Amino acid sequence: MTYQPQADFGTPASRSDEQVTLTIDGREVTVPAGTSVMRAASEQGTSIPKLCATDSLASFGSCRLCLVEIEGRRGTPASCTTPVEPGMVVKTQTPHLAKLRKGVMELYISDHPLDCLTCAANGDCELQDQAGAVGLRDVRYAADATHLGQTKDHSNPYFDFDPSKCIVCSRCVRACDEVQGTLALTVQGRGFGSKISAGLSSDNFLGSECVSCGACVQACPTATLVEKKVVEIGTPERSVVTTCAYCGVGCTFRAEMRGEQLVRMVPWKDGKANRGHSCVKGRFAWGYAQHQDRILKPMIRASIDQPWREVEWDEAFAYAASELKRISAKYGKHALGGITSSRCTNEETFLVQKLVRAGFGNNNVDTCARVCHSPTGYGLKTTFGTSAGTQDFDSVEDSDVILVIGANPTDGHPVFASRMKKRLRQGAKLIVIDPRRTDLVRSPHIEAQHHLALRPGTNVAVLTAIAHTIVTEGLVDEAFVRERCDWDEYREWADFVSQARNSPEMLEPVTQVPAAELRAAARLYATGGNGAIYYGLGVTEHSQGSSTVMAIANLAMATGNIGRRGVGVNPLRGQNNVQGACDMGSFPHELSGYRHISDGETRRLFEGEWGVPLDPEPGLRIPNMLDAATDGVFKALYVQGEDILQSDPNTKHVAAGLAAMECVIVHDLFLNETANYAHIFLPGSTFLEKNGTFTNAERRIQPVRKVMTPLNGLEDWEVTQELARAMGLDWNYAHPSEIMDEIARLTPSFKGVSFDRLDQEGSLQWPVNDAAPDGSPIMHIDGFVRGKGKFVVTDYVPTDEKTGPRFPLLLTTGRILSQYNVGAQTRRTDNVLWHEEDLLEIHPVDAEDRGIKDGDWVKLASRAGETTLRATVTERVAPGVVYTTFHHPLTQANVVTTDYSDWATNCPEYKVTAVQISPSNGPTDWQEDYEAQARRSRRIAEAEAAE
Amino acid sequence: MSSTLDNLVRMANQIAANLQHEPDPAAATAEHIHLFWDPRMKRMIFDHDGTGLSPDAAKAIAALKASA
């Protein structure tokens, strides 16, 4: 579409059900009570001049430009701070108002550089627009005392700050406070000396606590805060709404373009997941899409010790198909498999699993959700009947008690964290269960009522102790349980958790959580009003990950915190399309919509559509594929959009498995770590270069729209289709919408989904079917999907991974705000300025015992392997616990993690590894060997000269 | 034992340990393995002599093998 700025009604919408009718400029308008006069006028099409007002922020009333006249009232009140009243008669334009506004604007402009023609915001500047709107034609004041000529702050890699252009409207400060919740910005000084400051006056933006979410840049009505890309390229001339390809929040953005060049990504105000907010990754870290490391030509080689040879697409597809057929003929069809990606679209994922099932002839398909949220699928399906979270993100606005367990949303899901923090600042109570003192535990205007700093690996014990408190202290919502759950199963569970051995006091030596603190937290969750649980990989990536998910579900059912706004069980998904990848039948035991492959009726439905018989037996999961490969029976793998060598546990075992295969096909943007062991490389397309859909953590299906031509020539779904055709499958999709139509035909929860409907609605939350034609923001409202909610006894079973004299510390791993997963995307952006390497967090006591100082190189060793990295000494971690991230391949954090996994799903136990830390003076032999092997493996042969 | 078999034995024991509260832990373990293990994994554990398996895991494997 042609470029139009997003509509701005000046002040936020009111949620009141009461309607108020008033007259504005002679026209009647009816709006919800609590609406400002400014917004009421704007909704009827009258734009009152404004500068300090914007509808993402509470009204402020400082600029005095939006003055109006109201019959029966003295003076000229600010329309942004004046709520509507019944019968009110408002005039927005009179000679008196015009004179006042012109006077105000004249003062502003007298202290503003008049460089509009060369200004980056020329044509996209509210100050410029408002000067025109009020009819300012000259400025009478001499420029004796101004703020012009101040030094610009270029420190942030993504935006500039030019204080000379600032009108001190405070929109940036308020955006940082109200929208982002970081409170990094302030107005320093008073009166004429007032100026915007990022932290202390000695700080610049980069050195301050600013998290580069972009809210201030978006709020700025001038060119004071402006994207560097706008300075470099110019203002955009068209925009396309699409969905972010980073975390599971699923923010929607306007990709603002000039030709095929992306100028900026601006959060879409109508996006229902992000409500107009963004984080540093989605807003700014998209430079990887044009990074020089991208591979744009297909490549093949006979063995991994050879250099790559660039080929045309046809040759690549023919070679891949011939290798897959050769291996199938020689070793049997079960020697082949595929891995779908949570970074790819629903349509691409659906095609990969279809290729495996209909083309390879087996169910050896898995997805990276195996290593993150597979326990969520198992646990919530068992207890509630569906493998997904229960709420939409808006629900948090009605939460009274928020329990966050095993999640670090300010780093992993920052846009939702901002919404959560907003609710906490309004007074909701917070319980954090986490071995680390995450930012959420204590940050500006936020403090957890209870931080249960448990020993890693004891989630189930902690949750059982909470359940013990709730049951034995009579805090169960018995009416809810009797009506909505299986009463006999509840009784069995209640008897179990009531046992003395499950009391907080008895479990304290195991969990290391003070019993009194745990009891207080339990009481707060059970009695504090609407209780909502949010959790992440700190729940799932354990040997009892599935048990922990079920223990969470038990708590929600026991306290009646299911089936309405403000409550629920909310898995915060790691990657953008984890939910969708799981929905699409990526797991080896089930078809799309979570229907087991052994179910004959479901299988026949797919067989009818696909025209081939399907194997009724479950296939191999990723770790099982690698085991089978090292055993010599699994020989070929198609990996789309995943880097299992870096992301999966026990790197040496993954490498051995890949090395044992005869055909590894990597389909990706870059020569990732897995590609070091690949024989065929199929270049991928970015989210900017293709059409499709992602499904976020709230089951929200959202469009991904192509804004530029794929640099590699093909969208990813086309690559999979061509590979399938080379294998002999008669696939003829002309557009991803046709793939979604097939998904809808085969998947009851997607029955009402189509690209046309998504275009109309913006997004839809599954299930979308006859019972819920407009989707399902909140699930289990009148009953659980499975019928009666199922309480499951979840006894604490300690992990097999034990500390001891050789490995006395527990390592847990996680993420950081500026980086994403294995870093393949974010490491190729300026986000490396904030995190150029993985660091090991170690408590001062443990560091001192080992003679380790902050910044020292240390060796991190476990039973699986060892690596080196630099230490940061911090009390964020408890004594006995160390922590690191896994964003950088040279650190190889997963050399250290083990094969131990969740009992139900094989989700790796990343969060608990027994380790020892010691001083080091350089990389390990493994790191050096690996780097050399990677360098050799990435060689690309010179193209032969044409004859 | 091969590494893969070690893993399978550990997985079977883990499943049985986490299903101890089911009315019939061995039957629940057998059902879980039936639903989630691929045929080769099942064959490997069927062919194993039972060393290292917990009583419920061993019972589950025996039942599954008998019904295969």
Side-chain angles (χ1 to χ4, degrees):
Chain A
M1 60 179 283
T2 309
Y3 186 80
Q4 289 286 333
Q6 299 188 68
D8 186 348
F9 296 93
T11 63
S14 166
R15 283 174 56 184
S16 175
D17 294 329
E18 185 190 340
Q19 297 291 306
V20 170
T21 300
L22 67 161
T23 304
I24 300 177
D25 294 339
R27 290 164 60 196
E28 271 199 358
V29 57
T30 300
V31 293
T35 302
S36 70
V37 169
M38 173 182 279
R39 186 174 181 107
S42 185
E43 287 184 2
Q44 73 152 17
T46 300
S47 179
I48 300 174
K50 63 180 178 60
L51 281 173
C52 71
T54 185
D55 58 13
S56 61
L57 304 173
S59 56
F60 195 53
S62 81
C63 77
R64 315 310 296 170
L65 206 61
C66 70
L67 309 177
V68 291
E69 291 178 3
I70 300 174
E71 270 185 27
R73 292 199 187 184
R74 290 189 301 169
T76 50
S79 62
C80 65
T81 54
T82 305
V84 295
E85 288 182 12
M88 186 181 258
V89 177
V90 179
K91 288 183 179 173
T92 70
Q93 186 71 17
T94 67
H96 179 53
L97 290 172
K99 186 178 176 187
L100 288 174
R101 287 182 189 141
K102 202 179 285 188
V104 169
M105 183 55 77
E106 189 177 357
L107 284 167
Y108 276 119
I109 299 299
S110 71
D111 191 8
H112 193 81
L114 299 177
D115 61 350
C116 291
L117 289 180
T118 55
C119 178
N122 186 20
D124 187 23
C125 171
E126 291 182 43
L127 188 67
Q128 191 180 45
D129 293 345
Q130 300 306 332
V134 303
L136 184 68
R137 297 292 172 257
D138 56 39
V139 175
R140 293 166 292 167
Y141 305 112
D144 294 334
T146 69
H147 298 86
L148 306 180
Q150 296 185 73
T151 306
K152 293 181 184 178
D153 179 352
H154 297 293
S155 62
N156 189 288
Y158 298 121
F159 59 85
D160 291 336
F161 173 60
D162 182 356
S164 302
K165 292 183 174 174
C166 180
I167 59 170
V168 201
C169 63
S170 293
R171 275 164 63 162
C172 56
V173 177
R174 290 181 287 139
C176 193
D177 294 358
E178 296 176 29
V179 179
Q180 167 57 27
T182 294
L183 292 90
L185 304 183
T186 189
V187 179
Q188 180 190 328
R190 304 173 68 181
F192 187 77
S194 302
K195 63 176 188 178
I196 302 301
S197 174
L200 302 174
S201 56
S202 56
D203 288 331
N204 56 22
F205 264 83
L206 185 62
S208 74
E209 292 184 347
C210 165
V211 292
S212 297
C213 67
C216 57
V217 181
Q218 194 180 357
C220 182
T222 71
T224 307
L225 286 158
V226 64
E227 297 93 345
K228 280 183 157 69
K229 282 289 179 188
V230 172
V231 176
E232 175 192 328
I233 300 169
T235 49
E237 47 87 25
R238 67 183 174 99
S239 70
V240 181
V241 173
T242 190
T243 304
C244 180
Y246 282 121
C247 78
V249 175
C251 297
T252 40
F253 283 84
R254 283 176 24 136
E256 299 194 346
M257 312 290 296
R258 180 158 281 280
E260 282 221 320
Q261 189 170 20
L262 179 58
V263 177
R264 62 183 174 188
M265 295 286 280
V266 180
W268 190 39
K269 290 164 76 170
D270 292 335
K272 295 190 178 85
N274 54 320
R275 300 288 182 195
H277 190 35
S278 59
C279 80
V280 62
K281 295 188 285 283
R283 177 78 153 96
F284 296 118
W286 38 266
Y288 70 88
Q290 278 82 36
H291 196 276
Q292 60 184 12
D293 286 353
R294 267 192 74 180
I295 302 294
L296 303 176
K297 297 265 294 179
M299 301 190 296
I300 63 174
R301 59 185 172 188
S303 67
I304 61 171
D305 55 2
Q306 293 179 356
W308 287 106
R309 181 169 67 86
E310 289 183 347
V311 295
E312 297 302 320
W313 278 110
D314 286 348
E315 184 178 350
F317 291 133
Y319 181 66
S322 71
E323 280 295 278
L324 293 169
K325 287 178 185 170
R326 176 185 69 78
I327 289 168
S328 184
K330 182 174 178 184
Y331 299 101
K333 64 183 181 182
H334 289 101
L336 282 60
I339 297 177
T340 75
S341 174
S342 297
R343 293 181 214 169
C344 291
T345 64
N346 286 318
E347 295 72 19
E348 290 156 357
T349 302
F350 187 82
L351 286 197
V352 173
Q353 64 88 33
K354 179 175 176 179
L355 172 63
V356 171
R357 292 197 157 102
F360 297 178
N362 63 51
N363 291 304
N364 291 338
V365 61
D366 207 358
T367 181
C368 55
R370 174 66 53 213
V371 300
C372 67
H373 267 288
S374 52
T376 290
Y378 181 89
L380 296 185
K381 185 170 186 185
T382 302
T383 49
F384 297 160
T386 193
S387 299
T390 62
Q391 310 297 115
D392 60 5
F393 289 143
D394 287 350
S395 167
V396 77
E397 294 170 4
D398 288 332
S399 297
D400 300 309
V401 179
I402 298 171
L403 193 161
V404 179
I405 173 170
N408 185 9
T410 56
D411 282 37
H413 305 86
V415 170
F416 175 69
S418 290
R419 301 188 67 185
M420 180 188 281
K421 290 201 295 186
K422 188 170 190 174
R423 181 61 189 151
L424 291 169
R425 289 197 303 277
Q426 290 168 346
K429 303 290 189 292
L430 174 65
I431 301 164
V432 175
I433 304 177
D434 201 293
R436 286 176 77 230
R437 196 188 66 223
T438 58
D439 285 349
L440 207 53
V441 172
R442 193 165 191 275
S443 58
H445 296 270
I446 306 284
E447 182 153 21
Q449 274 62 40
H450 306 286
H451 174 209
L452 310 185
L454 77 174
R455 179 177 168 81
T458 63
N459 282 333
V460 170
V462 166
L463 292 168
T464 302
I466 290 175
H468 175 95
T469 306
I470 290 170
V471 172
T472 59
E473 295 189 10
L475 307 179
V476 170
D477 184 343
E478 192 176 314
F480 179 90
V481 175
R482 282 189 180 277
E483 181 191 340
R484 301 285 302 276
C485 306
D486 185 301
W487 181 252
D488 291 339
E489 287 169 345
Y490 164 74
R491 284 301 323 156
E492 188 188 343
W493 173 79
D495 290 346
F496 165 74
V497 299
S498 300
Q499 293 171 19
R501 71 183 177 97
N502 289 323
S503 70
E505 292 73 18
M506 291 293 282
L507 287 170
E508 182 174 330
V510 173
T511 64
Q512 296 180 355
V513 176
E517 186 79 9
L518 188 145
R519 281 188 181 271
R523 290 171 195 138
L524 176 60
Y525 172 69
T527 65
N530 284 339
I533 301 177
Y534 292 86
Y535 71 86
L537 305 183
V539 159
T540 55
E541 291 176 343
H542 285 275
S543 64
Q544 283 198 288
S546 293
S547 301
T548 311
V549 173
M550 293 188 288
I552 287 170
N554 291 338
L555 285 185
M557 290 189 288
T559 54
N561 279 313
I562 284 287
R564 62 181 188 279
R565 270 176 69 99
V567 300
V569 174
N570 304 276
L572 294 170
R573 306 286 187 161
Q575 301 197 65
N576 49 317
N577 200 34
V578 173
Q579 181 69 59
C582 298
D583 300 341
M584 292 298 102
S586 294
F587 288 134
H589 66 280
E590 61 193 9
L591 293 156
S592 63
Y594 305 98
R595 290 161 298 167
H596 201 275
I597 191 70
S598 64
D599 177 55
E601 192 176 332
T602 302
R603 221 171 43 248
R604 279 189 289 281
L605 183 68
F606 281 77
E607 287 169 343
E609 179 85 23
W610 294 350
V612 292
L614 298 181
D615 187 341
E617 288 280 351
L620 294 164
R621 302 160 169 174
I622 295 171
N624 312 142
M625 291 180 196
L626 296 165
D627 286 345
T630 54
D631 290 346
V633 297
F634 186 83
K635 292 290 185 181
L637 182 65
Y638 171 37
V639 191
Q640 184 184 65
E642 280 304 318
D643 191 359
I644 59 171
L645 188 66
Q646 190 181 342
S647 64
D648 285 31
N650 194 350
T651 304
K652 289 180 180 174
H653 182 57
V654 179
L658 290 168
M661 297 181 201
E662 294 183 11
C663 178
V664 175
I665 304 171
V666 168
H667 179 180
D668 209 290
L669 300 175
F670 305 105
L671 279 174
N672 60 19
E673 306 310 306
T674 304
N676 294 339
Y677 292 86
H679 308 83
I680 297 166
F681 186 89
L682 304 176
S685 49
T686 73
F687 76 111
L688 298 167
E689 299 168 347
K690 59 193 179 188
N691 289 301
T693 57
F694 293 150
T695 306
N696 76 353
E698 14 156 50
R699 296 168 277 101
R700 188 182 299 284
I701 308 157
Q702 304 190 107
V704 178
R705 296 192 175 95
K706 184 174 172 177
V707 302
M708 60 180 69
T709 306
L711 295 178
N712 62 334
L714 294 174
E715 299 180 38
D716 288 335
W717 66 271
E718 294 177 295
V719 173
T720 305
Q721 169 156 282
E722 290 304 319
L723 179 59
R725 288 166 67 89
M727 292 283 292
L729 298 169
D730 185 24
W731 290 8
N732 293 292
Y733 304 104
H735 189 270
S737 60
E738 296 176 8
I739 306 170
M740 178 54 84
D741 292 343
E742 181 172 319
I743 295 166
R745 283 195 298 275
L746 292 169
T747 315
S749 52
F750 277 65
K751 186 179 177 187
V753 180
S754 68
F755 276 39
D756 285 345
R757 278 215 72 198
L758 289 170
D759 285 342
Q760 290 162 18
E761 307 288 340
S763 65
L764 290 164
Q765 287 175 272
W766 69 256
V768 188
N769 51 26
D770 294 340
D774 295 322
S776 311
I778 310 283
M779 294 201 74
H780 317 299
I781 291 174
D782 298 317
F784 287 98
V785 169
R786 71 183 303 278
K788 292 287 187 184
K790 181 180 178 65
F791 279 87
V792 177
V793 172
T794 55
D795 203 356
Y796 169 59
V797 179
T799 171
D800 290 335
E801 178 72 354
K802 308 289 187 195
T803 53
R806 285 179 60 215
F807 302 104
L809 304 173
L810 284 179
L811 168 72
T812 186
T813 60
R815 297 152 194 250
I816 199 164
L817 169 66
S818 60
Q819 297 292 326
Y820 177 69
N821 205 265
V822 295
Q825 294 141 287
T826 45
R827 278 187 285 106
R828 292 180 171 94
T829 70
D830 285 329
N831 278 25
V832 292
L833 283 175
W834 289 282
H835 185 79
E836 58 186 0
E837 60 184 322
D838 294 317
L839 297 169
L840 183 87
E841 290 185 1
I842 184 169
H843 190 272
V845 170
D846 292 324
E848 189 174 336
D849 284 351
R850 291 162 176 79
I852 293 166
K853 295 188 294 299
D854 198 66
D856 281 355
W857 282 97
V858 294
K859 184 170 79 175
L860 167 65
S862 75
R863 294 180 182 91
E866 58 188 40
T867 189
T868 57
L869 67 173
R870 287 197 301 144
T872 183
V873 179
T874 173
E875 291 184 349
R876 269 179 174 269
V877 289
V881 177
V882 293
Y883 167 88
T884 190
T885 50
F886 60 101
H887 301 306
H888 291 266
L890 290 181
T891 312
Q892 294 274 354
N894 282 320
V895 170
V896 175
T897 52
T898 70
D899 283 331
Y900 292 144
S901 63
D902 173 47
W903 68 270
T905 65
N906 276 152
C907 180
E909 191 182 36
Y910 290 109
K911 303 297 184 184
V912 184
T913 306
V915 297
Q916 178 58 293
I917 312 295
S918 56
S920 170
N921 56 7
T924 62
D925 291 344
W926 162 262
Q927 283 172 296
E928 287 184 340
D929 292 347
Y930 181 82
E931 193 174 358
Q933 192 271 344
R935 211 168 31 243
R936 278 196 309 276
S937 180
R938 291 187 173 126
R939 289 170 299 152
I940 300 174
E942 296 281 330
E944 289 178 21
E947 290 183 8
Chain B
M1 281 195 290
S2 74
S3 171
T4 301
L5 191 54
D6 287 342
N7 283 344
L8 296 178
V9 169
R10 187 174 70 222
M11 286 162 59
N13 289 342
Q14 249 190 308
I15 295 164
N18 278 278
L19 294 173
Q20 278 306 296
H21 288 273
E22 291 295 318
D24 183 344
T29 302
E31 176 69 3
H32 188 92
I33 291 171
H34 169 69
L35 288 175
F36 295 104
W37 286 23
D38 102 304
R40 176 176 172 268
M41 293 162 68
K42 290 173 190 160
R43 279 198 304 276
M44 284 184 78
I45 200 107
F46 292 166
D47 293 343
H48 176 50
D49 64 7
T51 304
L53 286 172
S54 69
D56 280 326
K59 203 171 154 189
I61 301 301
L64 268 178
K65 188 175 179 179
S67 65

